[in-house]
Each structure stands twice: as C-alpha cells, then as structure tokens.
C-alpha cells in the first residue's frame, strides 16, 4: 500500500471517525471507542453525564473505575478476552452513577474491522439493564417461593409437558419415597384397573378443556396401593395450544376406606332389615321412594313398579297408586305429603293390594330421621297388615250391635265406656232410670264420666265415685261401689255399681261395662239392722264394766271396748284367749270350779286380780252367769276394775285411823254432845280436864250443861242458835266446874254435825297450864327488867369508874412517889415539886371526867327556830325507813297539813322521834305472826299545843308510869336513858310526853309541843 | 438513891399519865424503868440482858395485854398486870398463865412494889437456872457416844460388872469410861453425877429393866 493510499485511508478514517464520534454522542447509551489494544480514546457524552467522570479519568482503562468493585475483575477479564480473540462479546456489570448508585449495565464490545478485516478499533456500548435485571430477580424469587410452597403441600404435585413428559415434581414425591422419574411412569404408578379410567378422563379433558378428577389407586414406594384423588388442569396458551398439564394427587385412602365400611354396614343393615318380617320402606325428604325391604317387595309380589300411570306424577304418587286401594290413595298421599312438609310422624290405616290382588287393611307408620342439625334426612316407614284385626273388630261391632239389643231388653241398668273412658253406651233402662241419654252427658274436668257422676250422684259421693271410676279406667282394675244417686223422679236411692273391663285376646281393654243395681230397699233394711247393732255395740262398749262373752269351755268369743282398754289387748287378741291367760290370782282348778258353778246356772261374784298386757296387775270384781242361745250355752262375765274402790276403801280406813288417833292422842279434850246436855262419848283428856272417870260417862252422870258454871249456862241457848246457823262457833274461853268443885279454864272449839245442832263435837283445850305459864312469864319479865336495870347501872358505873381510875391511879402513884422524894435523905425537892404538879394535873383530869359525865345526862343548850313538825316527821322517816323495811314494819303517817310552825330545837325533836320509833320497832320484835306497824300522827286541838302521836302494835307496857324514869328499861341491852332524855327535851320545850297502852294492843306515845310567844298561831 | 443497873422495869400502858407516874414511883424506889405506849413499840425495843419485870396494861390500843402474854415465849420476863377495871375471868386467866399479879387501878404502892420485886427475883432465878443448865449441857456434849451410853447405866445404880455386861464390854473398859465421865462432867461423887443426870433428864430405864429381869 502506498503512502497516498495510506494517507487517504487515514484521512477517510479520521473523517469517518469524527462523524462516528458525533453519531456516538447522540446514541442513547453509554458508548466508548477503543483502539485495537483496548485503550479507550473516546467516550460519549452520556458516559460522562452518567458516571460524572472526566475524560482524563475515563480514557484508557480509566473507565473501569466506575465499575462495581465486585464486577470489575470479571468485566476486565472479559474485555481482555475480547481483545485477544477479536470477537464481539457481552457481559453484565454494575456501573456507578454520578450520584454513587450502581446500576446494572450490559457491556457489549464490538470489534470494528477495516477492509482487510483486521481489527481497527473497538466500539463498546453499555446499556442500562438495571430495571430489567431487577424484574428478573423478583420473578426468580417468586418462582422460588412458589416452589417452596409446592414443596410444602402434602400432596403430590407434578407438571408435564404436552408430550406427557413430567418436567416438575414437588418435594412430596421424594418425601413419599418416589424417585423423580416415577412421576412420569403412569403404568407403574397407577393401579391397572384405574389406569384406563384415568386415561379416559384425561383424553376427555384435553378434548373439552375441563379440569378433571379421578380416584385411582396409587402404588406407593412400599408397593402398596392407596386410594388417591388425582386432580389435573390442562393449561393452554392463547392460541389454544396445550402448554402444560398440572396435576395434584391427594391421599383419600382413609376416606375411601370409611366409605367402604359405611357401604358395607349399610348393606348389612339392609340385609337385616330385609330379614325383618315387617314391611319397611324409606322415602327421601323430597318424597323420592328410596328403599323397600325384601319382605315388602315379596308382600306386593313384585319390585315396586314406579312406572305405572299417571306417568306425569311423582314417583311417590306412582308407587302409592300402584299399591293402594283407589279409595284411599288420595288421602294417604295427601297425608304423607303433609307430614313430610311438617316433619310430623305419619300414621294411617288404609287398604292396599297384596301380591295376590286382594286388598287388605294395613297400618302404616313413618318417622323422620334427622341429622345433627335437625334436618330430616330420610323418612322410615313400617307398614303392618292389620286386615285380620280389622275384620275381627268389624265382626265384634256386629255382635256388639246384637248384644246391645239384648242388653236393652234386660231389666238392668247397663252402660258402657270405651277404652279411653268415653261413655259409649247406655241401655234404655238406665236412660229411663236416670232420665238421661248419652247425648245429655256433658264434660266436667275433661271427662264425660265425671259429667255423668255430677249429674246424678249424691254430692257427698261424687268425688269418690268419679275418682274410683277413672282410676279403674286408668289401671284396668274392676270397680265396685255402693253410693247414693238421684233417680229421674228426684228420689235419692242407694245403688251398687260395678264396672268390669272387656278385654281382647291380648289382654287390652276394649271396653268397660257397667251395671247399676238399685239396692235402696235392701240398704234401708241393712242400715236399720246396722244401726240397731251399732247402738247395742255402743251400749256394750260404753259400759264401764268389761264384758267377756265365752263359750262353755271358757274360750273368749267376744269382748267389749272396756275389756280391751282395761287389759291393754286388742279385741282380736282377746278373742280366743282364756281367763287364765290374764288372771293373776286364780289357778286353773279354781277357774274350773267357778265355771262349773256358772254352768250349774248360778250367778257368781268373786274378786281376783287381772294382769294387763304390759304386766301390771289390778284388782277386779267378777260377776259371771250363763245363758243359752240357739241351743248353745254361753258364759257372760262382767268384770269391774275395783282398784279405785280398793283405794277409796283403804283411804277411808286410813282416815278413820287418823281420826281415832286424833281423838285418842289426848292432846285436846274431845266430846260428842247432844243438845240436851248428854255427852255421848268423850276422850280421856276431856275426862281428865273435868275430873270425871269413864264410868261416870257411861252411866250418864256427865252433862256438859251441868259442868258449866251458872253464868255460862245462860249463854247456851244463844250458842246453840249460832251453831244452827253457822255450825261452828268462834273459839272462846270458858270455865268448867270439875267433879271436885274446882274451876278449870278451857278454850272451847264447838261444832255441830248439822243445821239442827242436836249433835256435835266439842274440843276443849285445858288452859290451866297455859295460864300458869303466862303468869310465870310475866313474873320473869319483871325480874328480867329489874336485873337489866341493875346491870345497866353497873355497866355505866364501870365505864365511868374506868375513866376515873386512870387519873386516880396516876395521882396515887405520884403521891406515893412524892412521899418517897420528900422522905429521902436529903429530900429530893425538885422531883417532889414536879410530882406534885402532876398530881394536880391528873386530879383535874378526874374532875373533868366527872363533869363530862354529868353533861351526858343534861340536855345541852338548844337552838330554837321555827320548824314545821310535819317536815321533821318526814326527815325522821327517811332516817329509819330502811331499818323498818328490814324488820318488816309497815309505817304510815297522818299529818295535819295546817300545822303552824313552832319554835323548837329541830335536832332534839328529831331525837325524840327517832327514840320513840326505835323503841316501837324494838318492842315489836316479839310480835311473831302479828303484823308490825307504826303510825305517826300530827295534829292540834284548836289553839292548844301541837301533838305528835306515835302508835305501834307491839305488846304495850306494864308500867306506863315508870318508863320515863332514868335507868328504867325493858330491853336487855338498854341503858334506860332514852325516854328520860325524851321527857327532858319535851319539858325543855314547855311540852309533855306521855305513854299509854293502845287498844286493842300496842303502845301510844303522845308528845305535845306548845307554840312559843313568837310563833304565829 | 442510885438506881440499880442490874435490873430493869418495863412498862406498857397507853395512858401517858400512868406511864409517867409509874416511872416516877419506880425511880423514887431506885428502879430504873422504861415505858412504851403500845405492844408494838415494846416489841420493837431490844430488851437488855438483865433480870426484868414487865408492868402491862390489859387494855391497849393494838393487842390486849392478855393476848400478848399468851404469845410471849419462855424467856420473857414475868408480867405484872394493871387494869382500869378488872374482871375476875381475866385475872384468873392471867395468873394461870404465870402472871405475878393482876392489879386494879388505882393500885397501892406496896402491892405494886412487892409484885415488881417478886417478878424481878423470879426472873433472876430463872436466868441463873438457864445459865447452869446450859453449862451442864455443854459438859454433857463433851462426852463420847460410848460415854453417853455408859452414863445412864451408871446413874441407874448398876454395878460396873452389870453395866459392862449390858454393853458387852469388859469391866475394865467400863471403869475407864466411868472415870472419864466423872472427870468430864466435873462430878465429885456418884451422887453428884446422879443429880446432874437428873437435871439433864437422862433416863434410867436400864437399871429398872435389870431389876425386873432379876425378879
């Protein structure tokens, strides 16, 4: 090649290159141009704008800096390889954008060859494939996830190409132990029997485009076949070409086996049902006949022909019309449809045609079978041939008719009630008797039988009759009762009613027949008899004696109620017993003897003792006699419980003994008198009192009038009068003149036996001794009082003496000492002087004591102020009331509200009152049973002094004059100073105090308090 | 006149006049005395170890004199009762219980002084007896147990031979014991020893028994 050419060539190249570079700049990609050795010497604008690099940075191999470091190596390697081989090539790598983000680019190097074919340079284009790349990656990920999903599905999933080659299986295959190739080998995988069906379905699916499902037995890795459901879809492209087949194979072996089991059990059931000698059938809820048992088929003589006309009706109607009597067809069909609509059980009797063409009565029953949700799944029916029964019933009805005519002719009241208790029939007689027909019976409480009862039965018997009847109907037991009812004419009559059931051969009640018999006449007679019997029985039963009716062998035949009550046995127990069974005293032999006497016609009475059932024994009196009746001899024994009589007798005896003891005890004189003076009897004490002896008494020498002194005899008539009136006179004291002429004082208690006062008893208590004792007591009390006075004086003087002796002893001792001090040598004058001083002091002490003692007896100077005496009484009452209550003393006051105030020493007046009240209480200590009472009265005689009176009901006193003397006392521990002080207080107030005996008893102190000159009257 | 420090009169009376008068009188007679207003005060006082006499009032504020007498022990000095008004039962009771006298106030000087003197004398004798007895008992305690066995046999009048036989020892041994006893008990003669034994109330049953056996 010459230079010129070369130059031209070069020039043309240079020209071309410039053009090219301009073109390249416009190119919508990153492009650069390299020399044959790969040195990039031109990069287009897009490169710089994308990478943000400069030309200096990019030329040569500088562009590789923009390549992602991970991709750079492989990209450069690829580039060198291209350069070396001179062929075009491409690779992907990430290229950094100006903002730093890497994007995927397709690097493509294309050699540029000159005419000689040698490489003159390289054109490299970088196309942004990032979006594309990312989309692909997303797709790949989705595919991977899908695969994982498919692998996780517990079913065998496979895809196949249109030519049948399996191109994908999921992991389940290997999990189940299949090898990857197994999925394509259908001949080996599918049971030969199912293979054909599978292939047929698939062909069909390919033809129609429908998905298909096949149940097939799949040979598992272990060689066993298991039932599977193969579901497949044929996928086509838009042109309709088959692209792929997807299949999913699910294990349904368990379900399949359960189905088979179910089918087997169903089959068994059906076989069972077929062997049952009943006609059994079923109908679907929609009314489709579903099943008839073999028996049924045999009964009808053929498989049920559903094809019979009218052909446009349902299969059910067709079946029914083939089997039923035309007259019943419509009703049965309607009823069946109705039941199916409502779900109610179906029951019906109708005629159907047996295999031999005979119509027979059947009873059909159908019940719905419901599932858990309560939906009807199926209707099961049973049909029973009841033709024979039906005929029997009809025959019966006919004979009944006949019977009814017969019954109506019978002169008895007859009626019938059906098995349900519904009145069914009344014969003419009963209608005439009650004036009621069957149609007249109304329902009462849901029962016409009750209605009938209500209409005609006596109200008192209604409930018993109605309940009895209904109970019979319910239980099947016969009924029989006597009761009162009303006849048509309104007469109340006793009837006897009987009801018996009529039963069929099975024992079920078909009908109740009732007979009513008017027994009123008979009843009236019976009642009369019964009443008479009852009266007699009552009479015997109410007898207070126990009656025993015995035969002549002493066996008890009957007893009355008292016999049962007294012995504690029941009547039933006693009947058949013998007297020895409860006789506690008599031996068999004695009873025998007694029986013989009775048998001889004697009425005997004897006492013995009977033993009660519980073992206690009581005395009885028995009267036994014999009588004859109807040629037999009976013993009638009346037994009387004499325990009370015995007791009364004993009590009487005891009382007599007590009285005798009383009379003979001679504590008190007792005599029985007559009004004329005679003494009928007297005890020893009385004889002793009056000094007579018993001989005088017996001889009648003792007259109660004569032994009364003359002054008493005058009172006798008056006393007798009082005795007649009151039967008793108040006890009184009187004297009797003793036989020796002396007088004796007695206390008399007199009493007459009756109003006439002709006879009586008198108790005389000898008072001689008591009088003497009283006398002694009085003397003794006086002596005691004297002794007390002496003792009190002694006590007082002793206490004064003690007080005085102390200083006196000191005086004497000191006197002695003084003597000693003075007579000493030399005389101890100092001590003598001191001693003398003591003597004077102690002697003065003694003088003081004496003067103090005197003041004890002298009222101190008193303070006078106007006082209300009533208030003072109230104050004192408060002071002593507790003590009074303690001693059982009642205290009352009678205060004059108009008393003027009086000047007095309040304390001294109180002192006087307290003193008087205390004395009264002390005095009443000896009252014994006599009630203790104190009363205080205040008052004033016109302008006179105020008076205070204190009254008690104690014993009073014997010497009212002396009691105010000092040291006079009647109390054991008294000083005898109280009343003396009272008197001195009274006197210091210008008043007086006096005492006297009250009437009938007690003491009365009167204390006068004159008004002072300053007081307001 | 000086008071005798060898004896003391004690007075219990709630009446200070009486106490003062008695002290005065006793002082004039040469007796030293101490008075107390109550038994409580008296019992709190520590009695001097001297022959003494107690003049005691019957009626006292705390416990009565008679009651105190009943409680007093054997070592208490004799009592002379004085009372404001004496009753016979109380005086009898007091004398029975060993009171020296029971004087009614006012009492005579002679009666009182005689009683006080008698009481102190009795107390003195009793104190001496007690001292002698305690000395004697002290001697007796020095005897060995064997000697204490021998002593009753000797004082019972048994011969040495008999006493030795009684104890199952030789006569010689017994004689040695006897000598020791005489020496220890400071007895001059057998009679002396018998008297001492009697005061010690040593029983002499053995001798009697021996005689009974001999009969």
């Amino acid at each position: 090649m010459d230079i010129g050419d070369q130059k031209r060539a070069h020039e043309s190249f240079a020209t071309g290159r410039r053009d090219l570079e301009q073109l390249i700049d416009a190119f919508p990609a990153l492009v650069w141009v390299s020399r044959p050795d790969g040195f990039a010497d031109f990069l287009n604008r897009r490169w710089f704008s994308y990478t943000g690099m400069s030309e200096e940075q990019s030329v040569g191999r500088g562009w590789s800096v923009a390549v992602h470091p991970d991709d750079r190596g492989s990209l450069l390697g690829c580039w060198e390889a291209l350069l070396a081989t001179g062929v075009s090539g491409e690779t992907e790598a990430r290229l950094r954008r100006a903002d730093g983000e890497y994007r995927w680019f397709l690097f493509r190097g294309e050699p540029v060859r000159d005419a000689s074919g040698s490489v003159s340079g390289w054109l490299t284009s970088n196309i942004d494939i990032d979006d594309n790349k990312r989309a692909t990656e997303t797709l790949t990920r989705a595919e991977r996830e899908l695969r994982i999903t498919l692998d996780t599905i517990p079913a065998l999933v496979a895809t196949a190409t249109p030519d049948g080659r399996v191109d994908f299986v999921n992991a389940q295959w290997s999990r189940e132990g299949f090898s990857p190739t197994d999925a394509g080998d259908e001949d080996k995988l599918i049971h030969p029997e199912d293979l054909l069906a599978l292939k047929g379905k698939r062909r069909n699916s390919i033809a129609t485009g429908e998905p298909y499902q096949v149940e097939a037995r799949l040979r598992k890795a272990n060689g066993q076949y298991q039932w599977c459901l193969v579901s497949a879809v044929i996928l086509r492209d838009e042109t309709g070409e088959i692209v792929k087949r997807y299949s999913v194979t699910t294990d349904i072996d368990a379900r399949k086996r359960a189905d088979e089991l179910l089918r087997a059990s169903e089959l068994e059931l059906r076989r069972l049902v077929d062997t049952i000698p009943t006609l059994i059938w079923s109908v679907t809820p929609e009314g489709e006949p579903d099943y008839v048992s073999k028996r049924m088929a045999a009964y009808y003589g053929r498989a049920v022909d559903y094809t019979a006309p009218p052909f446009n009706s349902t299969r059910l109607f067709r079946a029914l019309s083939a089997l039923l009597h035309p007259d019943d067809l419509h009703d049965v069909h309607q009823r069946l449809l109705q039941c199916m609509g409502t779900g109610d059980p179906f029951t019906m009797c109708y005629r159907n045609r047996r295999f031999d063409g005979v119509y027979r009565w059947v009873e059909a029953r159908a019940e719905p079978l419901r599932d858990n949700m309560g939906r009807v799944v199926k209707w099961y029916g049973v049909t029973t041939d009841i033709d024979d029964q039906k005929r029997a019933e009809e025959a019966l009805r006919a004979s009944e008719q006949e019977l009814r005519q017969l019954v109506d002719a019978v002169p008895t009241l007859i009626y019938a009630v059906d098995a349900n208790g519904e009145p069914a029939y009344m014969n003419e007689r009963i209608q005439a008797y009650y004036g009621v027909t069957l149609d007249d019976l109304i329902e009462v409480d849901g029962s016409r039988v009750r209605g009938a009862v209500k209409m005609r039965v006596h109200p008192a018997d209604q409930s018993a009759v109605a309940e009895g009847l209904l109970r019979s109907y319910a239980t099947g037991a016969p009924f029989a009762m006597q009761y009162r009812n009303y006849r048509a004419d309104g007469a109340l009559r006793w009837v006897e009613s009987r009801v018996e059931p009529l039963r069929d051969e099975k024992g079920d009640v078909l009908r109740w027949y009732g007979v009513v018999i008017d027994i009123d006449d008979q009843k009236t007679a019976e009642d009369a008899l019964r009443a008479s019997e009852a009266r007699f029985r009552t009479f015997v039963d109410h007898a207070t004696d126990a009656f025993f009716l015995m035969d002549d062998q002493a066996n008890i035949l009957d007893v009355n109620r008292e016999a049962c009550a007294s012995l504690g046995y029941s009547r039933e127990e006693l009947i058949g017993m013998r007297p020895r069974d409860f006789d506690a005293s008599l031996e068999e032999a004695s009873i025998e003897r007694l029986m013989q006497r009775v048998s001889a016609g004697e009425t005997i009475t004897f006492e013995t003792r009977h033993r009660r059932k519980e073992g206690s024994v009581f005395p009885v009196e028995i009267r036994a006699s014999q009588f004859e009746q109807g040629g037999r001899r009976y013993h009638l024994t009346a037994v009387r419980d004499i325990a009370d009589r015995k007791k009364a007798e004993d009590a009487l005896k005891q009382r007599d003994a007590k009285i005798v003891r009383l009379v003979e005890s001679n504590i008190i004189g007792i005599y029985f008198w007559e009004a004329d003076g005679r003494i009928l009897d007297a005890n020893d004490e009385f004889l002793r009192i009056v000094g007579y002896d018993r001989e005088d008494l017996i001889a009648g020498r003792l007259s109660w009038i004569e032994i009364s002194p003359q002054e008493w005899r005058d009172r006798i008539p008056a006393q007798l009068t009082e005795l007649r009136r009151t039967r008793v006179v108040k006890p009184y004291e009187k004297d009797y003149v003793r036989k020796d002429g002396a007088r004796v004082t007695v206390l008399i208690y007199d009493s007459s036996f009756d109003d006439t006062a002709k006879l009586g008893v008198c108790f005389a208590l000898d008072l001689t001794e008591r009088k003497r004792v009283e006398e002694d007591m009085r003397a003794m009390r006086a002596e005691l009082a004297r002794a007390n006075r002496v003792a009190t004086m002694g006590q007082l003087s002793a206490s004064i003496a003690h007080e005085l002796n102390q200083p006196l002893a000191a005086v004497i001792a000191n006197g002695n000492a003084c003597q000693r001090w003075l007579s000493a040598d030399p005389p101890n004058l100092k001590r003598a002087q001191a001693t003398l001083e003591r003597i004077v002091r102690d002697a003065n002490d003694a003088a003081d004591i004496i003067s103090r003692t005197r003041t004890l007896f002298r009222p101190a100077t008193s303070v006078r102020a106007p006082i209300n005496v009533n208030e003072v009484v109230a104050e004192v009452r408060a002071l002593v009331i507790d003590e009074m209550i303690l001693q059982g003393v009642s205290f009352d006051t009678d205060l004059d509200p108009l008393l003027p105030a009086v000047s007095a020493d309040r304390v001294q007046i109180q002192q006087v009152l307290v003193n008087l009240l205390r004395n009264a209480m002390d005095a009443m200590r000896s009252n014994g049973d006599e009630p203790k009472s104190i009363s205080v009265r205040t008052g004033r005689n016109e302008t006179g002094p105020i008076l205070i009176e204190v009254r008690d009901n104690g014993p009073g006193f014997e010497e009212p004059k002396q009691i105010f003397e000092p040291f006079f006392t009647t109390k054991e521990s008294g000083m005898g100073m109280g009343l003396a002080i009272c008197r001195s207080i009274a006197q210091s107030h210008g008043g007086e105090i006096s005492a006297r005996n009250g009437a009938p008893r007690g003491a009365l102190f009167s204390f006068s308090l004159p008004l002072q000159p300053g007081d307001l009257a | 006149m000086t008071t005798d420090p060898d004896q003391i009169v004690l007075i219990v009376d709630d009446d200070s006049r009486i106490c003062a008068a008695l002290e005065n009188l006793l002082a004039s007679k040469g007796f030293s005395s101490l008075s107390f207003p109550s038994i409580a005060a008296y019992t709190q006082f520590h009695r001097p170890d001297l022959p003494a006499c107690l003049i005691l009032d019957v009626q006292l504020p705390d416990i009565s004199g008679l009651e105190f007498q009943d409680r007093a022990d054997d070592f208490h000095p004799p009592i002379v009762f004085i009372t404001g008004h004496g009753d016979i039962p109380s005086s009898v009771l007091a004398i029975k219980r060993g009171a020296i006298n029971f004087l009614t106030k006012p009492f005579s000087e002679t009666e009182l002084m005689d009683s006080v003197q008698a009481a102190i004398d009795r107390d003195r004798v009793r104190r001496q007896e007690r001292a002698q007895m305690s000395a004697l008992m002290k001697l007796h305690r020095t005897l060995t147990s064997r000697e204490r066995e021998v002593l009753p046999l000797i004082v019972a009048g048994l011969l040495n031979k008999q006493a030795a036989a009684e104890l199952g020892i030789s006569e010689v041994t017994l004689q040695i014991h006897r000598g020791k006893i005489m020496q220890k008990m400071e007895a001059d003669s057998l009679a002396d020893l018998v008297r001492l034994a009697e005061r010690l109330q040593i029983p002499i049953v053995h001798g009697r028994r021996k005689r009974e056996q001999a009969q």
Side-chain angles (χ1 to χ4, degrees), chain A residues 727-905:
Chain A
R727 293 220 203 164
V728 211
V729 288
K730 278 193 202 122
Y732 59 94
E733 273 185 35
K734 76 179 268 187
D735 287 356
Y736 279 134
V737 181
R738 287 170 55 91
K739 193 180 183 183
D740 59 15
R743 283 203 175 198
V744 57
T745 308
V746 288
L747 183 65
I748 296 291
Y749 303 83
D750 210 349
S751 166
S752 73
F753 287 149
D754 55 25
D755 299 341
T756 63
K758 282 180 179 154
L759 274 173
V761 65
C762 183
F763 301 87
L765 183 63
D766 188 350
L767 292 180
T768 314
E769 184 64 13
R770 212 162 90 178
K771 287 258 174 197
R772 198 181 59 73
V773 170
E774 274 177 17
E775 207 56 50
D776 288 355
M777 285 283 285
R778 197 175 294 128
M780 214 157 73
R781 263 207 298 277
E783 183 63 31
L784 196 66
R786 267 194 299 280
N788 267 337
R789 275 200 299 282
V790 172
T792 310
M793 287 296 287
Q795 223 172 17
L796 184 69
S797 52
S799 88
I800 295 167
H802 181 256
E803 284 290 305
L804 280 175
N805 281 342
Q806 290 292 119
L808 281 180
V811 166
I812 291 167
N814 280 322
N816 290 335
C818 191
Q819 263 181 347
R820 188 70 53 198
W821 297 124
L822 290 175
S823 60
D825 188 20
N828 190 336
L829 290 175
K830 197 178 172 192
R831 292 206 70 159
Q833 178 67 27
T835 307
L836 279 172
E837 281 167 13
R838 285 186 191 165
I839 289 172
V840 172
R841 188 194 67 192
D842 294 350
N844 278 329
D845 273 2
D848 283 352
I849 288 164
I850 288 170
S851 100
R852 269 213 307 279
T853 311
R854 280 186 62 195
T855 56
L856 252 185
F857 297 97
R858 189 180 59 206
T861 47
S862 56
V863 182
R864 299 293 165 88
I867 58 163
N868 182 331
V869 172
N870 291 344
E871 281 174 15
V872 175
V873 172
E875 287 157 8
V876 169
R877 180 183 187 276
L879 276 177
V880 295
I881 191 72
D882 286 347
E883 207 176 329
M884 286 188 177
I885 289 167
L886 213 61
Q887 294 187 15
V889 176
S890 68
F891 183 68
D892 63 275
T893 52
D894 173 16
L895 307 179
D896 181 351
L898 301 173
L899 287 185
V902 59
S903 290
D905 185 321

Side-chain angles (χ1 to χ4, degrees), chain A residues 634-705:
Chain A
Y634 296 96
H635 288 182
L636 182 61
T637 305
V639 177
R640 178 170 293 174
D641 184 341
I642 56 170
D644 291 343
R645 197 176 81 192
K646 284 262 180 206
K647 224 178 277 174
E649 280 172 9
D650 286 351
L652 196 64
K653 248 180 245 168
Q654 275 178 11
R655 211 174 63 193
D656 281 355
K658 278 181 199 158
I659 291 170
V660 168
R661 174 91 188 91
L662 174 71
V663 171
E664 289 177 356
S665 64
N666 292 322
I667 292 162
I668 190 166
I670 302 172
Y671 67 90
F672 297 92
W673 51 259
E674 281 193 59
D676 60 5
R678 265 191 297 172
I679 288 175
L680 301 176
D681 198 1
N683 67 352
D684 292 345
E685 172 66 4
F686 180 72
L687 294 177
R688 186 196 64 74
I689 291 170
V690 294
Y692 287 82
D693 55 29
R694 199 154 282 280
E695 276 175 33
D696 298 327
L697 176 71
I698 293 163
R701 286 195 289 271
L702 187 53
S703 158
W704 59 272
I705 296 176

Side-chain angles (χ1 to χ4, degrees), chain A residues 806 816 820-821 835 845, chain B residues 15 17 24 28-29 105 109:
Chain A
Q806 290 292 119
N816 290 335
R820 188 70 53 198
W821 297 124
T835 307
D845 273 2
Chain B
D15 192 327
R17 297 172 304 203
N24 195 9
S28 71
K29 293 280 187 180
K105 295 174 195 170
E109 177 203 3

